[in-house]
Amino acid sequence: MSHAPLLDIKNVTQKFGGVVAVDDLTLHVNEGEVFALVGPNGAGKSTVFNLISRFYTPANGSISFNGEQLLDLVPDRIPSLGIARTFQNIELFEQATVLQNLLVGRHRHRATNVLSELFFLPSVRREERRHRHAVEQVIDFLDLQPYRDKMIAGLPYGVRKVVELGRALATEPKLLLLDEPASGLSVEETQDMAFWIEDIQKQMGITVLMVEHDMGLVSAVSNRVMALADGKELATGTPQEVQSHPAVIEAYLGTSGIQKGGQQAEKSSAAKSAPKPAKTAAKKASAKKAVPKKAAAKKPAAKKPAARKQATRKPASARKGAKS
Amino acid sequence: MDFIQLIVSGLASGCVYGLIALGFVLIYKATEAVNFAQGDFMMIGAFICLGLTNQDFWGLNFWLAVPIAIVIMAVLGYLFDWGVLRFMFGQSQVSIVILTIAVGFILRFAAGTIWSHEPVSLETPFAGRDISLGGVVLGFDEIAIIIVTLLLTLALFIFFSRTKLGMAMQASSQNQLAAYYMGIPVKRIQSLVWALSGAVAAVAGILFASKGAIDPSAGLLGIKAFAAAAIGGFGSLPGALVGGLIIGLVEPLSARYGAPGFSQIAPYGILILVLVFRPGGLFSQTQKKKV
Amino acid sequence: MRFVFKTTYDADINLFKHKTQMGYYFALFAAVLALPLYFVWTGNPYLLGEITAVLIFAIVGMGLMLLTGQTGLASLGHAAFMALGCYSNILLLNAGVPWLIAFPLAGLIAGVVGTVIALPVLRLHGVYLALATLALSIIAGDIIVLLEAYTGGVSGIAVPDISIFGYEINKYANPYAFYYVVLAVVFIIALLYRNLLRAPTGRSFSAIRDSEISAQAMGINPTRTKAKSFFLSCVAAGLAGSLFGHSATYITHETFDLVMSITLLLMIVIGGLGFIHGAFLGAVVVGLIPVLIANGRSLLATTFGININIPGLESAMFAAILMGFILFEPMGLYGRWLKVRTYFELFPFYRKDMFRRQKSYLKTERVQ
C-alpha cells in the first residue's frame, strides 16, 4: 500500500438546506481492497456515492480518482474513468431485456457513431459481437442465463439486484460502488452476493466501495470498514475493530439505548419506496444484534468454505427456489 | 396616460394567465401530472357561467351563477381525476400529457356544440363601465379582475398555510408516501386538488369572459399560461402568477411598440430567453431525482 | 410457439429472428412492390393515392415513434417540422436545386433547425419539450405568415414537381411513380430505424426513456442523446413534410396546423408506442378514420335522412379514440396483436396479466 490510493476524498462537505449530510469527510480507498461504509440511516453513506457519481456537487473539498479530479467532470464522464455503480432503489431500464440492460453497460466502450450505426456497417456488427461477448462473460459469472431475454419489468427483486450488479460489471470498472447490495435479499441471495463480491475483488481485481447495513456481509468480504454518523467519520479499520469501537456502539445503540443517528437527510428517500421503513427497521435491528454479538456476525465467514461449494454448484436454482 | 391604461389591461390579462397557470401548477405539484387541458377547463368554466347567466340561455342572476359555475367546475375536476386519471395510475407522464390534450379537444367540441362556436361575451354587472382616475380611464372589468385575483391568491395562501386540508395537500405534494403513512388519503387529496384547480379555472374563465368575448378555441390560451408557469418555474405558485403577469404585460407592449405580428410570438420569445438563461424558471426549485 | 436455437451472437444481431420471419417480410415487400399492378388493371388509381398518403404519414410516424416511443419524449409540434421540411424543399427546388439534393437537404434543415429550437428545453424535464413544441406548433402559422415573402403566407405556394434526372413525377400525372418514390423513402427510413435500434445508440435512447439517472451513471449524456433522437425525428418529419407537399401540390399557412400535430401523436399511440410496426398501423388507422366518418355521414344522410354536420366532430372523435386507447389499450394496436399472438402461441397457458405493467406508487423524477 505504498502507492497513492485509487480513490481519494478530502474534506468533502455536502449540505441540503440546513442539513449537513456529509461533514468534512476524508477517506481513501486503496487499489484492490473492499471498503465498506456502514452507519445508521442518514449518516451520509449514499450521499458519498452520489458525490463520487457527481450527482451532487460538494460545498468544498476534493475527490480524486486515479489522479483525476472528479469535481471537474460531469456525471456522464465518470463511468469512462472506470467507476461503475449500483443504486439503493434499483434503477434498471424497465422496458428492456436483461441482455439489453447489460449491453447499455458497455456504452463507455463503444467505438461506433450514429452514422455508421444507421447503416449498420460491418464495423458496427464487429463491435456488437465484441460487446455481446463481454456481456456473456458477465452473464456466466452471475448465472443470469435463464433471464437473458426476459424483460426487467417482470423480474423478481433479487434478480434485478443481480442484473444491476451485472450492468455495473459490464462497464469493466476499476472501482465498483455498491449501494446496499444485499438490501431486500434473502439469506441465500446474500450469500451469493458475498461470493460474487469476493470474486470481483480477487479474480477480476476490481476495487469495491460499498454501503451496506448487513454486518454479516460486511465482515465477510471487506478489508476495511468506515463507520459514519451524521456525515462524520466515527471509526475506520478492520470490521472487527470498527464493530468493537466504543463510538460505533454508541452511535448504534446510544448511551441510553436510544438511536441517535440523524435521520434528516434520508427522510424523504426513506418514504419513497413502500417497504423501506419496515426494511430499515429490520436492518437496524440486525445491525444492533451484530454489534454486541461479534460471533454471530462472523458466522457466515466461518461457514463459508462449506457453503461456497454448495452455492457454486447450483446457485441459479437455489436462488430461484428462494424466490418462488 | 395611454401607457398606464396599457399596463392595467396587460396586468388584467396577466392575472387571467396567472390564474390558469396557477391551476396548472397546483396539479403538477400535487400529482406530477401535467394538465394540458387547463386552458380548456378555463374555457368550459366561462361557458358554464355564461350559460347560466346570459339572457340567451338560462338568465340566472350573475351572483348566483358564479358560485354555481365554480362548484360545477370543481366537481368536474374531481370526477376527471376520480373517473379517468386513476386508471392511468403507473403510466408514464407522456401518456398523461397526450390524454389531457385529447380531453382539451373533446371539451372544445362540447362547448361549441352546447353553447356556441362564435365568440360570446359574458353579461356581467360591471361590463362596459369605466372609472376615471385623474384622467386615466380604466375599465371596471379590468379593476375587478385584478382585485379578484389578489383576493383569490390571498385565500389560497390562507388555505394552504392555515387549514388542515390545505396542509394535507402540501404534504402529499411534497412526499406522497410519507403523507400516506401519516394517514392522509392521498388519492382523495389528489382528486380534491383537481377540484381546486377546476374551481380556480372557473374563476379565471369568468374573469376572462367578462373582459372580452369567449369562444371554444379560447382554451388555446392555456399555452400562454403554460409559458407563464414555465417562466415562473413550473412548481412554484407565486412563480405562476408572476409569470402570468410578465406574459400579460409583454403582449400589449410588444403589440404597441413591436413589429406587426410580433406580439403573437413575443411571449414565447420571453419563455425561450428564460429557459436558456434560467432553465428552472425564475422561481426555480431543485429538480433532481434522489437515488 | 417457435423456439429458435441460437448458435451465434449474430442470431440476436441480425434483422430477422429466423428464416420464416424473413420470408414474411420479403413477401410483404413483394406485395407492396406489386401493388400498383392491381390499380393499373382496374385503371382507377384513386385508392393508390390514399395508400401513398398513408405511407407518407408512416414516415413521420416513424420519426415521432423514435422520439416518443423509444426516447420517451413527446413532441406536439411535429407538424411544424413537417412544414419546415416542406417549405425548405419548395424553396430549394424553386432556386433550381435538383430534387435528389433538395429533398434530403430539406430533411437535414428540418433536423438542424428543430434541434436548435429544442436544445434549450432538452436539458430539462420532458414536459418542457411537450410545452415548447406545443407553443411552436401554435405559432408556426404566424411565422409562416410573417415570412410571406418566401412562403406565400396566407395565399399559399405551389409545390414544384419531383424531377429525377429529367423524369418529372407528379402525383396526378403519374401516381405510380410517386408511389414508388414514397415507398423507397419508407423502406430506407424503416431500415435505418431498425439498424439504429439494434445498435448502441438505440439502446441509449431506451435507457434515457426508462431511467435518466442510471443512463448517466452508465456514461450516457442525456442532453446529447435526446438531441440525437430529436434530430433524427425531425429529419424524418422534414422528409415526410416534403413528400406531403408534393402530394398536396399546393400548401398554405394552415396546412400544417396543431390538429395535424395531434393527429401524428394519435397515430403512434393507436399504433403502439415503442414498436416500429405501430407507426404503420397507426398511419393506416388515421388514414381510414376520415374515410369511415365520411362514409358514415353519407350513409346516415341517404338512408335515414339525418344530416350530421357538427363542426369539430372529426377532431373530437380523434380525441375520443385517443383517450380510449390510452385508457384501455396503452400498448396500441400492435400491442393488441402481440397479446393475441401470445395467446395462441401459449394456448391454453396465457395469463391475463402477462403484459400488465408494473404499477409504482409514484415514479417521481424530482427531489423534494
Side-chain angles (χ1 to χ4, degrees), chain A residues 53 55-56 74-77 79-80 83-85 87 91-96 99-101 103-105 107-108 110 112-114 117-120 124-125 128-134 136-137 148-149 153 160 164 167-168 171 268 272, chain C residues 6 8-15 188 191-204 206-222 224-225 228 232 356-358 361-368:
Chain A
S53 304
F55 293 139
Y56 299 150
V74 291
D76 47 80
R77 284 276 298 130
S80 60
I83 300 180
R85 69 168 290 175
F87 295 85
E91 287 283 334
L92 284 167
F93 308 120
E94 294 269 325
Q95 302 299 319
L99 185 62
Q100 284 165 338
N101 267 275
L103 282 169
V104 173
H107 193 84
R108 82 170 178 110
R110 78 183 199 145
T112 52
N113 58 23
V114 186
E117 285 168 19
L118 277 173
F119 296 98
F120 219 79
V124 178
R125 182 177 288 270
E128 280 294 294
R129 282 192 201 132
R130 192 170 69 87
H131 291 322
R132 178 66 189 271
H133 186 70
E136 286 298 332
Q137 312 285 316
R148 197 187 274 123
D149 290 320
R160 291 182 193 214
E164 215 188 19
R167 191 178 60 179
T171 67
S268 59
K272 203 162 264 165
Chain C
K6 294 174 190 167
T8 62
Y9 294 152
D10 281 345
D12 281 335
I13 299 174
N14 286 340
L15 271 179
I188 291 168
L191 186 68
L192 298 186
Y193 191 145
R194 274 292 277 129
N195 282 344
L196 201 64
L197 286 193
R198 54 189 175 136
T201 306
R203 288 193 294 266
S204 67
S206 15
I208 289 288
R209 176 192 63 196
D210 287 348
S211 171
E212 212 169 288
I213 202 121
S214 83
Q216 246 178 341
M218 294 296 123
I220 298 169
N221 180 326
R224 203 176 303 148
T225 309
K228 263 183 219 165
L232 294 171
R356 177 153 296 196
R357 276 181 181 222
Q358 200 194 18
Y361 199 82
L362 174 69
K363 194 150 168 49
T364 182
E365 287 288 333
R366 60 175 188 188
V367 160
Q368 283 80 28

Side-chain angles (χ1 to χ4, degrees), chain B residues 87-108:
Chain B
F87 290 99
M88 302 277 297
F89 202 66
Q91 279 194 45
S92 69
Q93 240 174 2
V94 170
S95 325
I96 297 178
V97 167
I98 299 172
L99 182 89
T100 52
I101 286 176
V103 169
F105 270 84
I106 292 174
L107 290 181
R108 235 166 285 160

